[in-house]
């Protein structure tokens, strides 16, 4: 009787402490969100910056009061727990039987209404002994970094819990009379957009597990004090584990095993479903392959080795018998994930595949994992590259690999309707869609291949806000340019690559992105500050860092020499190759003391080019894209120009139907077939004196 009273008292106290800590943490989160919203109200220019992020409410709306999570059913979890104490053993038996019937993994497809994860909800009712051991490692990992003093206090309780935990042979196949055993189905809703817990949710889960461990230890100690006979038997079994081996399955009369097999099954032996946690740290580490496979599209992974030993990942949505091929190349600090991040409806990769194209997704060098043929390559040596290597080593290797694959496949399986206008050495048409730095890289590739009298194998370029000219940028980029150029020789050996260095901080960024979406005030403040950092660009920066290619295991980085190369381009006001700083080195590389000017060789471009600019783009402003256009027109290239009301990242990370329709219409045009030329009129602005393209493409009738 006394032992039952102590158990109930400890259970009520534990639930009260958990409710108090949960509400305290929620109040702290609300305070942070409120202070962030207050600071956001005083920041100038926030309306334009927040407009690029979907889901932000710039004006408050009237809503009804929302009950806390522990009062969602109309009663508090404390009262609900008091009510559950009156359950008898028959209720526990029926609950166990119900849980045996409910093992279907896809029983409830509905997502929980609260942003908090299911794991955090279940932690209230399930015992600490039912947590997967990998979750225990997760808590130790987090606390060792953030709460390392508490980790020392946690160590001894965890050891005691492991000692007092029932043996797997008994706890997995039987339910006991005298204590209530509730088997809760751990159903985790797999969201296609976000599978992460935030930092606040992880902290709540860690605190709950700590409280569970402390009260579990106190309960065991109380049982030892109130039941000296049982304590003596436990100590005896520890000292002499093989003394009563035949009585392994027996216990006192109050602990009788009851079988819980499903009635009517072929094998009535009770079993326990093993639950695996492939991502026990609960971070969204999906790859481009995972996204494509989830949406039901075919996928193929191809390894490409460059001439200097870098291993690149070329991904593909294969149509092996198609003679229409499109290659998509990402920009700086990005990956192929950007081309599939908007789902089936809004992603260029899926749209091109649905139009019958064989789709290839390129990835430039520069991953934290440092893929190279030399497995022991140092960080300083790996990151020693500039945009030159992207355009003269990465692109040739990728394009030649595509050519090798397509010629081999089309020779083995000829298409159903072969085209007669294609040469035998290249029985396909290859177009390229490139964004930001990818546009500069593909232009450098085409020009250098033409200078070297080598085939570039491309039939059309669609360049979305292409880099290459950067003199007309906000003040923040001018300051960064002077800093990088001035301190480049000192910083290059110290910081060869710019990326988040450790797994812990990459995981922290991945989880903070979830918190930024859960708390609009905090997220709006971060979005505004990031917009300030890039000169007022209104791209959805929070959505970009929330993509799974920024995860704890890997992420795209950028070489310091790439940043230095961009600073050189801005200072020289020319799109030229990397300046090695010495005339002798430049002569060895280019045959002249000055680096090769790519923009001055635009007359070598012999394929149609479609330039697209964003009127809200502050990273590559429309004036810089128009400079590409003027030089191409001057060189006699077939070029078109268009503008949209977009920021820099809207070309890839946002669902823009107008842009996607335009890109697909340009992609399906072929040289000498659908377009005769361009008639783009230029007019001068009265205030700035800039040249603005205002015409439309004249299509052939």
């Amino acid at each position: 009787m006394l032992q039952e009273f102590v158990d109930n008292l400890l259970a009520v106290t534990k639930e009260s402490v958990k409710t108090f800590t949960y509400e305290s943490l929620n109040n702290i989160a609300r305070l942070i969100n409120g202070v962030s919203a207050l600071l956001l109200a005083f920041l100038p220019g926030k309306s334009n910056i927040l407009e690029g992020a979907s889901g932000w409410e710039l004006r408050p709306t009237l809503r009804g009061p929302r009950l806390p999570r522990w009062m969602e059913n109309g009663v508090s979890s404390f009262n609900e727990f008091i009510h559950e104490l009156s359950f008898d053993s028959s209720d526990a038996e029926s609950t166990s039987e119900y849980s045996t019937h409910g093992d279907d993994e896809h029983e409830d497809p509905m997502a929980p209404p609260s942003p908090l994860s299911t794991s955090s909800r279940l932690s209230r009712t399930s015992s600490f002994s039912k947590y997967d051991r990998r979750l225990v490692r997760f808590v130790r990992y987090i606390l060792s970094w953030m709460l390392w003093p508490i980790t020392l206090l946690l160590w001894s309780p965890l050891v005691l819990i492991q000692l007092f935990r029932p043996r797997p042979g008994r706890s997995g196949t039987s339910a006991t009379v005298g204590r209530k055993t509730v088997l809760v189905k751990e159903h985790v809703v797999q969201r296609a957009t976000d599978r992460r817990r935030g930092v606040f949710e992880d902290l709540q889960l860690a605190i709950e597990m700590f409280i569970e461990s402390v009260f579990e230890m106190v309960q065991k100690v109380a049982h030892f004090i109130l039941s000296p006979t049982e304590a003596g038997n436990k100590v005896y079994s520890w000292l002499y584990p093989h003394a009563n081996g035949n009585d392994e399955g027996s216990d006192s009369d109050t602990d009788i095993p009851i079988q819980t097999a499903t009635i009517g099954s072929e094998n009535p032996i009770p079993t326990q479903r093993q639950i695996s946690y492939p991502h026990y740290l609960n971070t969204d580490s999906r790859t481009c392959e995972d996204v494509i496979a989830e949406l039901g599209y075919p996928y193929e992974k191809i390894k490409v080795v460059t001439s200097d030993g870098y291993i690149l990942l070329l991904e593909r949505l294969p149509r092996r018998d198609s003679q229409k091929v499109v290659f998509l190349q990402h920009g700086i600090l990005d990956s192929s994930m950007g081309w599939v991040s908007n789902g089936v409806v809004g992603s260029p990769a899926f749209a091109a595949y649905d139009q019958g194209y064989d789709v290839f997704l390129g990835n430039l060098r520069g991953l934290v994992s440092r893929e190279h043929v030399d497995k022991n390559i140092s960080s300083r040596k790996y990151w020693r590259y500039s945009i030159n290597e992207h355009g003269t080593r990465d692109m040739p290797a990728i394009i030649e690999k595509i050519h090798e694959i397509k010629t081999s496949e089309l020779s083995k399986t000829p298409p159903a309707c072969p085209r007669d206008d294609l040469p035998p050495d290249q029985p396909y048409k290859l177009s390229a869609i490139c964004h930001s730095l990818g546009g500069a890289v593909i232009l450098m590739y085409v020009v250098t291949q033409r200078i070297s009298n080598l085939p570039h194998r491309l039939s059309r370029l669609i360049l979305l806000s292409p880099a290459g000219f950067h003199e007309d940028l906000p003040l923040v980029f001018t300051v960064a340019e002077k800093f990088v150029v001035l301190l480049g020789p000192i910083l290059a050996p110290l910081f060869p690559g710019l990326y988040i260095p450790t797994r812990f901080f990459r995981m922290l960024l991945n989880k903070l992105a979830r918190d930024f979406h859960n708390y609009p005030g905090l997220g709006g403040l971060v979005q505004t500050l990031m917009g300030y950092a890039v000169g007022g660009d209104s791209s959805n920066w929070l959505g970009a860092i929330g993509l799974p290619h920024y995860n704890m295991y890997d992420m795209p980085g950028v070489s310091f020499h790439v940043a230095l190369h961009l600073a050189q381009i801005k200072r020289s006001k020319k799109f030229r190759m990397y300046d090695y700083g010495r005339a002798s080195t430049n002569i060895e590389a280019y045959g002249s003391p000055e680096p090769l000017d790519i923009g001055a060789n635009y007359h070598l471009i012999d394929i149609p080019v479609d330039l697209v600019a964003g009127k809200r783009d502050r990273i590559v402003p429309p004036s810089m894209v128009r400079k590409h256009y003027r030089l191409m027109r001057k060189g006699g290239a077939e070029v078109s120009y268009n503008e949209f009301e977009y920021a820099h990242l809207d070309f890839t990370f946002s669902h823009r139907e107008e842009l996607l329709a335009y890109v697909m219409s340009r992609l399906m045009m072929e040289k000498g077939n659908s377009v005769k030329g361009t008639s783009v009129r230029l007019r001068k602005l009265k205030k700035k004196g800039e040249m603005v393209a205002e015409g439309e493409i004249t299509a052939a009738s």
Side-chain angles (χ1 to χ4, degrees), residues 225 302 424-425 485 675:
I225 295 175
I302 304 163
D425 60 333
V485 172
V675 176

Side-chain angles (χ1 to χ4, degrees), residues 196-225:
R196 295 162 292 177
R197 290 190 302 262
V199 175
F200 285 105
E201 294 172 282
D202 278 338
L203 184 59
Q204 173 66 24
L205 180 60
I207 292 175
E208 289 181 353
M209 294 176 68
F210 174 71
I211 294 173
E212 288 278 358
S213 64
V214 171
F215 277 90
E216 188 81 9
M217 180 186 66
V218 173
Q219 185 181 22
K220 294 297 183 182
V221 173
H223 282 189
F224 267 43
I225 295 175

Side-chain angles (χ1 to χ4, degrees), residues 65 248 384 464 484 668:
E248 185 72 24
R384 193 183 302 162
L464 310 177
V484 170
M668 290 185 287

Side-chain angles (χ1 to χ4, degrees), residues 222-243:
H223 282 189
F224 267 43
I225 295 175
L226 298 176
S227 302
T229 305
E230 182 181 353
N233 292 335
K234 282 285 184 182
V235 174
Y236 182 79
S237 63
W238 291 344
L239 296 177
Y240 305 98
H242 303 290

Side-chain angles (χ1 to χ4, degrees), residues 370-560:
R370 300 209 300 259
E371 295 288 337
H372 197 275
V373 293
D374 182 7
K375 301 301 182 181
N376 299 321
I377 188 172
S378 64
S379 176
R380 183 178 301 179
K381 186 176 180 181
Y382 176 86
W383 294 103
R384 193 183 302 162
Y385 63 85
S386 65
I387 304 178
N388 283 18
E389 282 68 30
H390 287 323
T392 62
R393 294 186 184 272
D394 292 353
M395 279 299 107
I398 292 174
I399 299 298
E400 287 303 314
K401 175 60 71 171
I402 294 175
H403 176 70
E404 175 187 340
I405 292 173
K406 290 304 297 181
T407 52
S408 175
E409 290 179 347
L410 292 175
S411 63
K412 295 178 181 178
T413 58
C417 300
R419 299 175 52 169
D420 300 331
D421 58 336
L422 298 177
D425 60 333
Q426 185 176 334
Y428 62 93
K429 284 281 188 179
L430 175 60
S431 303
I433 303 175
C434 307
H435 175 242
S436 188
L437 183 66
V441 168
I442 203 73
L443 288 172
M444 182 181 292
Y445 164 73
V446 172
V447 170
T448 53
Q449 290 291 104
R450 292 277 290 150
I451 291 176
S452 303
N453 292 321
L454 296 174
H456 54 69
R457 308 193 187 283
L458 296 168
S459 61
R460 191 177 200 93
L461 298 180
I462 302 174
L463 308 182
L464 310 177
S465 190
F469 296 104
H470 302 282
E471 60 266 24
D472 187 14
L473 291 180
L475 178 63
V476 61
F477 291 101
T478 302
V479 174
E481 170 244 318
K482 296 184 180 299
F483 178 79
V484 170
V485 172
L486 181 63
L487 301 179
I490 301 176
L491 296 178
L494 299 177
F495 305 100
L498 306 178
Y499 57 92
I500 302 176
T502 64
R503 284 190 174 187
F504 173 76
F505 289 108
R506 291 197 293 270
M507 177 193 67
L508 189 62
L509 175 66
N510 194 262
K511 290 180 173 295
L512 284 175
R514 174 67 171 171
D515 286 325
F516 294 152
H517 285 275
N518 287 346
Y519 303 99
L522 178 61
L525 179 63
V526 174
Q527 167 76 11
T528 304
L529 294 178
M530 293 185 68
Y532 287 163
V534 291
D537 189 90
S538 61
S539 299
N540 187 1
W541 299 103
L542 294 183
I545 65 174
L547 286 178
H549 63 183
Y550 290 100
N551 60 73
M552 66 176 295
Y553 302 104
D554 205 356
M555 68 166 289
V558 58
S559 168
F560 183 85

